Amino acid sequence: MAMKLAERVVQLKPSASIVARQRVLELQAAGETIIDLTIGEPDLDTPAHIVEAAFAAVNAGDTHYTVPPGTPALRKAIIAKLQRDNGLDYAMNEVIVGVGAKQLIYEAFAASLDTGDEVIVPAPYWVSYPDIATIHDGTPVIVDCPEVDGFKLTAKALEAAITPNTKWLVLNSPNNPSGAVYSREELEALAQVLRQAPHVWLMTDEIYEHLTYDGVTAISLVEAAPDLKDRTLIVNGVSKAYAMTGWRIGYAAGPSDIIAAMVKLVGQSTSCASSVSQAAAAAALSGDQACVAEATEIFRQRRDRMFEILDGTPGLAVRKPDGAFYFYPSVAGLIGKTTPQGKVLQSDLDVSLYLLEAAHVAVLDGGAYGMSPYLRMSFGGAMADIEVGCHAIRKACEELV
C-alpha cells in the first residue's frame, strides 16, 4: 500500500528550471543535439585560487562538521564583504551560512510564516519564491511588474499589495529572469512605502549582485534605506559571481533574532554546510576579486552577441538586460502564428516547445516565472552555443506563418 503523502508535497510544483534541465539531458542522452539556453549557472570553471583553498582545507584535515551558522572564518569573510562592497556592518550573530542561498530562503520562511501570512512576490520572479512560501503555509501575493515599468515593482504597486497580513516582501535585484536592476531612486521610493508598514519584513535576494553591465550598479535596499536594516534579511552567495554553483554555499545577514531561528532549523536539517566548501567560499570572498570582473566581461560579450543575433527576429521583442545572465523577450508577436506542421502557437509554452522541436534549442516559458508571453534565455553558457542557438531560433521564427 502506497504511503499517503503530505498535502504540502502533493501541491508543490517541481522547479521549472530543474525540470527543463532534466528534459535537455534526457534528449541529449537519446542522441539529440540540443542547445541548452535554460542554464541557470555560469559555464565557467571555479577560479584556481578558490579551488586551491579547498585542497588546502582537505590537506589540513578541515573535513569535519562545523557549527550550524558557519565557520568563523567564512562568517568573518562575509562581514568584511558586506562592509567592503555594500558599506553595511553586521556582527557574527547576524550572519548565517547555508547549503546554497535557496536553503536560507527556505529556512527564513520556515522560521517566520504562519497560516495566513502573505508574501509579496513581484512578477516576473524566480520560480521558487511562491512555492517555498506556500510549503510553509504562507500565501504568495503576486504583483505584476510589466515591461513598461522595466519589470520592476513600483511604490504604487507595493502600497496596493500590502495588507495587515503581509509578512514579507521579496525583492530580487538583479532579477532572474528579467535582468532588471533597481536604481537607488527606485529603492528609496519602495523604502518610503515600507516605512508606512512597519509590520512588513524585506528579503533581498542579491545573488546576481556583481553581474551588471554598461555602468549599472546593483544597490542593496539597505544601502539606500539604512533605517530598514532591522527588518531586512539579505540573501546572497558565491554561486553566480564566482562560478561555484556546485559548491553549494549561500549566506544571509539580518537581525539576530531571525538568524538565531534559522540557525536552529539548520541544526535540525543539514547540520551545517560542507567544511571544504566553506573554506573555498571564504577564499572567494576575501581573495582577489579580479575573477569577478573577468567573468562579468565574458557575460557582457555573450549578452551583446545574443542581442545582435536576436534583435529584429520576427515576433520577438528583445531588450538588453542590465544584470544577471538572462534575456526575457516578449513573444506576443508569435502567439497565433502557425508552425510548418500546422500547429497554432497559443502560449509562450507552445513557443518554447516549438523551438525545442524545430530549432533543437531549449528555453523556458515565461509562465514559469509568473509573466506571459515571454521566454527566458540564458547567456550563461558558451559563446558557440549562444551563436548556434540564437541563429536557430531566428530561423524557426522566420518559418512561422
Side-chain angles (χ1 to χ4, degrees), residues 295-315:
T296 301
E297 175 58 19
I298 290 171
F299 292 133
R300 184 199 62 77
Q301 292 174 14
R302 294 174 179 179
R303 179 200 67 158
D304 290 353
R305 183 59 176 145
M306 181 175 275
F307 180 80
E308 182 181 12
I309 299 171
L310 292 179
D311 188 36
T313 298

Side-chain angles (χ1 to χ4, degrees), residues 331-339 343-347 351 400-401:
V331 293
L334 298 179
I335 305 302
K337 296 286 188 180
T338 303
T339 71
K343 177 180 173 57
V344 177
L345 301 178
Q346 297 180 338
S347 67
V351 174
L400 294 167
V401 295

Side-chain angles (χ1 to χ4, degrees), residues 11-339:
Q11 297 299 323
L12 185 65
K13 301 187 296 292
S15 167
S17 54
I18 292 175
V19 170
R21 179 61 178 157
Q22 182 60 38
R23 180 58 180 154
V24 169
L25 293 175
E26 290 171 356
L27 290 170
Q28 290 173 336
E32 297 280 353
T33 299
I34 303 295
I35 300 296
D36 186 8
L37 299 184
T38 71
I39 187 169
E41 62 176 334
D43 72 324
L44 309 175
D45 292 331
T46 303
H49 71 281
I50 299 173
V51 176
E52 289 165 4
F55 277 111
V58 171
N59 291 331
D62 187 7
T63 57
H64 302 279
Y65 292 128
T66 77
V67 292
T71 65
L74 178 52
R75 281 183 286 152
K76 288 177 182 176
I78 293 165
I79 289 169
K81 179 267 173 218
L82 290 166
Q83 173 54 239
R84 178 189 71 221
D85 296 346
N86 311 104
L88 300 174
D89 294 317
Y90 287 90
M92 290 286 278
N93 66 343
E94 295 176 317
V95 174
I96 183 173
V97 175
V99 183
K102 183 184 285 188
Q103 183 196 8
L104 298 174
I105 296 170
Y106 191 98
E107 305 295 15
F109 284 170
S112 62
L113 291 178
D114 288 313
T115 302
D117 286 341
E118 295 174 351
V119 178
I120 295 175
V121 180
Y125 50 72
W126 177 53
V127 295
S128 292
Y129 298 137
D131 290 326
I132 296 176
T134 299
I135 202 172
H136 291 110
D137 298 324
T139 301
V141 176
I142 308 303
V143 180
D144 286 340
C145 302
E147 188 171 356
V148 68
D149 292 328
F151 298 117
K152 289 183 270 190
L153 181 67
T154 65
K156 181 178 180 180
L158 172 60
E159 185 173 20
I162 292 174
T163 75
N165 294 324
T166 305
K167 178 65 73 72
W168 288 97
L169 162 65
V170 179
L171 201 65
N172 175 212
S173 175
N175 178 261
N176 173 12
S178 71
V181 181
Y182 287 79
S183 69
R184 181 178 293 273
E185 293 73 22
E186 289 164 338
L187 293 173
E188 288 173 345
L190 295 176
Q192 189 57 36
V193 175
L194 291 170
R195 291 186 183 102
Q196 308 308 312
H199 64 292
V200 178
W201 277 60
L202 174 68
M203 178 184 291
T204 62
D205 182 346
E206 303 176 10
I207 196 73
Y208 294 96
E209 171 189 15
H210 293 300
L211 303 182
T212 58
Y213 315 104
D214 301 333
V216 173
T217 300
I219 300 170
S220 174
L221 190 141
V222 182
E223 294 178 66
D227 57 304
L228 298 182
K229 180 171 179 271
D230 62 355
R231 52 184 168 116
T232 299
L233 184 72
I234 295 175
V235 179
N236 207 326
V238 296
S239 293
K240 313 298 184 180
Y242 301 95
M244 294 179 67
T245 53
W247 298 81
R248 305 312 303 130
I249 294 292
Y251 59 86
S256 59
D257 52 355
I258 184 68
I259 296 296
M262 293 166 67
V263 168
K264 285 198 295 184
L265 291 168
V266 167
Q268 295 294 347
S269 55
T270 56
S271 295
C272 61
S274 159
S275 59
V276 176
S277 293
Q278 290 190 64
L285 293 175
S286 60
D288 187 352
Q289 300 299 297
C291 59
V292 177
E294 292 166 2
T296 301
E297 175 58 19
I298 290 171
F299 292 133
R300 184 199 62 77
Q301 292 174 14
R302 294 174 179 179
R303 179 200 67 158
D304 290 353
R305 183 59 176 145
M306 181 175 275
F307 180 80
E308 182 181 12
I309 299 171
L310 292 179
D311 188 36
T313 298
L316 287 187
V318 186
R319 56 186 286 160
K320 280 187 180 181
D322 288 329
F325 41 68
Y326 310 105
F327 274 80
Y328 201 60
S330 169
V331 293
L334 298 179
I335 305 302
K337 296 286 188 180
T338 303
T339 71

Side-chain angles (χ1 to χ4, degrees), residues 35-37 302-311 313-314 316 318 327 329 355 359-363 377-379 382-398:
I35 300 296
D36 186 8
L37 299 184
R302 294 174 179 179
R303 179 200 67 158
D304 290 353
R305 183 59 176 145
M306 181 175 275
F307 180 80
E308 182 181 12
I309 299 171
L310 292 179
D311 188 36
T313 298
L316 287 187
V318 186
F327 274 80
L355 294 178
H360 300 286
V361 179
V363 298
M377 303 178 181
S378 170
F379 51 95
M383 181 70 88
D385 286 345
I386 289 170
E387 291 187 339
V388 172
C390 290
H391 280 301
I393 289 172
R394 188 177 186 110
K395 181 175 183 293
C397 291
E398 290 171 346

